[in-house]
Every structure is written in C-alpha cells, then in structure tokens.
Amino acid sequence: MTTHAPTDPGHAGPEIEFPEVRVNLRMPNNPCTGKVVSSELCTQRKAAGFVRHIAIDVSGTELEGNLLPGQSFGVLAPGNADNGKPHKPRLFSVASPSKGEDGQGRVIATTVKRLVDEHWTDHTLYHGVCSNYLCNLQPGDEVRLSGPNGKRFLLPKDPHKYNYLFFATGTGIAPFRGMALDLLDAGVASHIHLFMGAPYASDLLYHPHWLDLAQKHDNFHYTPALSRERQADGRDPMYVHNRIGTELDRILPALAADNTLIYICGVAGMELGVFQELAKHLSPTQLKNYLLVDPEAMGDIPNWNRRMIHQQLKPTKRLLMEVYA
C-alpha cells in the first residue's frame, strides 16, 4: 500500500491541520495479541470474490484507543514463508471509526478480501497467506498484531471546516467507512460524497450500510459505479471516476468551494482517472485547488499516465491518496 502525501501547498483555501497520531506502538518483532469478535461477509453471496468485515478486540493492548480511520495495522500470519523465515506482516486498513466498533476504542475492524489466484507459470492455485488466514479465523481466535501505521491519510483535526469527496474501489472503501461514521457522529453539517466503484452490484461493499446512512443523513451522498453492468439508474457501465461527470451538477458547488477535500483509496491507477475527470470538468482556477498540472500536459489529458504523478501532475494538500498494487 502506498500513501501519497500532498506535494504542494495548493492554491486557495485555509491551512489544513491534521491530528497527531501515535505510530509503531507495537513492532512486528514484538506484536500484541487481539481476539476476533466477529467475521461477516460484506458482499452478496453471488459475488465473484469473498470480502469479510472482521472485528478484533484489542482491549488491554497498545492499540486500544490509538487507531484512527485512514491508518492501518499489521497482521502476522503463523508459520514460515518458502525461505524458512516467519511471514512478514501485512497491513490492513482500519475500517472502524475512531471510537472503535464498540464505541470505546477496544474493538477495531478491517475489510479483507481473500486472495485466490493462479500461478502464471504452471496454472496451479495460489492462496494469499495472510488474507485467507484472517478470513478463516473464527470468533474467539487470537491474532498477532502490530502498529499503528500511517499518519497522512486522515481526517482534518477540525472536520467541521470542510466538505468531503471520497473515491473508493474494492477494499479501498475501508477507511471511508470509519471516516464517514466519525464525520456523522461529530455532527458535521457539510457535504460528504462517497463514490464506490465495483465490477458488479454484488461486489459493492457495505452497500446496505451506505444506503441506510444516505437515508438518515441529508448531507451524506452515496453513488456507486459499476464497471461491468448497467447502473441502477440505467446508465452504461462506468468506472468510479466517471461519476464526476454524471454527478457534476450535484458536486460542482463542493468542488468549486475553497474548503473541500478529496480522498482517493483503492487499486493503483484509479487516481489517474479521477485526475483526468477533474481536469476535464473544472475550470483552471478550480483545478488548482486539487491538482497542479504542467501546461503541456494540460493539452493532452487523454494520454496522461501514472509516471506523470508528482512530476507533471502534482496533487495539492487538498487531495489525499492511498493506493495499492
């Protein structure tokens, strides 16, 4: 997983202050022990993959009360790798609000997709070690944990000052579950827009949860994007970044404001599509709030590539990203 810090102070708008967080309270060579509380499927049963929402009790450990949405924690699977050494820790995003699943910070949660694939060379089945280990755990089972990790992909210290646009694909939805719950629990009155991308409707993670939040809170807006089937509104298949165009009338007031933050989390490459759509639909002045673009690149938006990020395409302090391969 790669976190990209903003590379430029940006255009207009107030300075953004983020909370101080504690990191590496438990290192992988000295993990603490948590206990699984629950493990629930968060896709429909007919989905092609399996994704589970796993809650872990960390009470009495250094992780209790010290994990914020946007951070991650390490999981150490038992046993050794092929080289004979213990498995390296794998990082999983916090999917719970800052108060935890229990309201006390004692139970944390994450969103885990089982990795099942074929080896390219001999077409034998491959199982991701840590993801399947986690998904196989039962309530009451113990698990070794390290962390916290990360201090840049966070909500601002004073969340009431900002509007929010969240773009997610796959398990990149995890931090936004916790962030959205924190914002709504704090009574933030500004607009929160969540865009979730998935291949099919059966792959939408936490879909009933988002619909429920949108029904209960007028300022929370949830818009899925399906890349391999028609949308519920009848539109053709589209990727999550295409929702900027279809929802432009609704989100432009927020995008044009000087107090809006954009968060992007998911598979590497999705950020480029968001950049391109912002460049297509925003005025030069509005775009500079989020992305500083080299003039030559601005004339060739369709041919942008990821190698240009942080070179010809520079995210400002108001655009935060966390993407993974």
Side-chain angles (χ1 to χ4, degrees):
M1 183 175 292
T2 303
T3 303
H4 297 276
T7 56
D8 189 274
H11 186 54
E15 188 65 28
I16 305 169
E17 185 178 4
F18 292 96
E20 294 291 330
V21 294
R22 304 176 70 186
V23 297
N24 299 322
L25 297 176
R26 277 299 186 114
M27 300 298 289
N29 61 359
N30 184 31
C32 62
T33 300
K35 185 175 289 187
V36 175
V37 174
S38 62
S39 179
E40 301 174 355
L41 199 64
C42 52
T43 53
Q44 296 181 27
R45 290 195 175 275
K46 64 180 180 178
F50 301 95
V51 183
R52 303 195 73 84
H53 178 80
I54 301 174
I56 302 171
D57 187 343
V58 294
S59 57
T61 76
E62 289 87 345
L63 298 187
E64 179 182 342
N66 283 312
L67 280 164
L68 296 181
Q71 290 189 288
S72 60
F73 57 89
V75 174
L76 289 95
N80 296 326
D82 292 340
N83 60 9
K85 296 181 179 180
H87 292 295
K88 294 181 179 180
R90 294 293 186 266
L91 297 182
F92 292 89
S93 295
V94 175
S96 44
S98 56
K99 292 182 179 179
E101 298 291 284
D102 61 331
Q104 303 294 323
R106 297 170 183 163
V107 179
I108 62 175
T110 187
T111 312
V112 185
K113 180 179 181 179
R114 288 185 182 273
L115 175 56
V116 180
D117 206 346
E118 281 191 355
H119 288 284
W120 286 102
T121 53
D122 59 8
H123 60 81
T124 56
L125 192 63
Y126 170 77
H127 291 83
V129 173
C130 202
S131 66
N132 283 283
Y133 161 68
L134 260 183
C135 288
N136 286 345
L137 291 175
Q138 302 296 314
D141 287 346
E142 293 185 343
V143 56
R144 295 181 300 158
L145 307 171
S146 63
N149 301 90
K151 54 185 178 181
R152 290 173 174 168
F153 194 74
L154 302 169
L155 289 176
K157 191 171 183 179
D158 186 351
H160 297 270
K161 291 182 178 180
Y162 305 94
N163 299 299
Y164 302 89
L165 271 71
F166 298 141
F167 292 90
T169 57
T171 55
I173 198 70
F176 300 141
R177 179 181 181 272
M179 288 180 180
L181 290 173
D182 270 1
L183 292 171
L184 296 172
D185 182 61
V188 168
S190 53
H191 286 282
I192 306 163
H193 296 272
L194 171 65
F195 299 92
M196 168 67 187
Y200 301 99
S202 58
D203 301 309
L204 291 170
L205 305 182
Y206 303 115
H207 184 61
H209 172 71
W210 301 126
L211 293 175
D212 183 59
L213 288 184
Q215 186 175 23
K216 291 179 178 177
H217 301 275
D218 291 340
N219 64 323
F220 180 80
H221 314 281
Y222 167 56
T223 309
L226 307 175
S227 61
R228 298 182 185 176
E229 68 180 23
R230 285 186 173 273
Q231 317 304 306
D233 59 12
R235 295 180 187 270
D236 289 337
M238 67 178 71
Y239 292 100
V240 66
H241 59 262
N242 298 127
R243 281 299 189 186
I244 294 175
T246 66
E247 305 302 308
L248 189 62
D249 289 344
R250 189 156 59 98
I251 64 176
L252 188 57
L255 285 170
D258 65 358
N259 65 334
T260 295
L261 305 180
I262 295 177
Y263 291 74
I264 302 171
C265 189
V267 64
M270 66 169 293
E271 73 274 39
L272 189 65
V274 174
F275 290 179
Q276 290 171 310
E277 289 298 303
L278 292 174
K280 290 177 186 176
H281 296 291
L282 298 184
S283 70
T285 300
Q286 293 165 348
L287 180 63
K288 287 179 181 179
N289 284 321
Y290 310 103
L291 192 66
L292 301 180
V293 182
D294 178 89
E296 184 176 348
M298 196 64 196
D300 192 22
I301 296 173
N303 289 317
W304 287 1
N305 60 71
R306 294 194 71 235
R307 294 188 300 274
M308 300 169 68
I309 298 175
H310 301 300
Q311 302 299 322
Q312 295 100 323
L313 313 173
K314 297 182 180 181
T316 74
K317 63 185 179 181
R318 289 173 53 186
L319 193 155
L320 299 92
M321 301 184 294
E322 187 165 276
V323 296
Y324 48 85

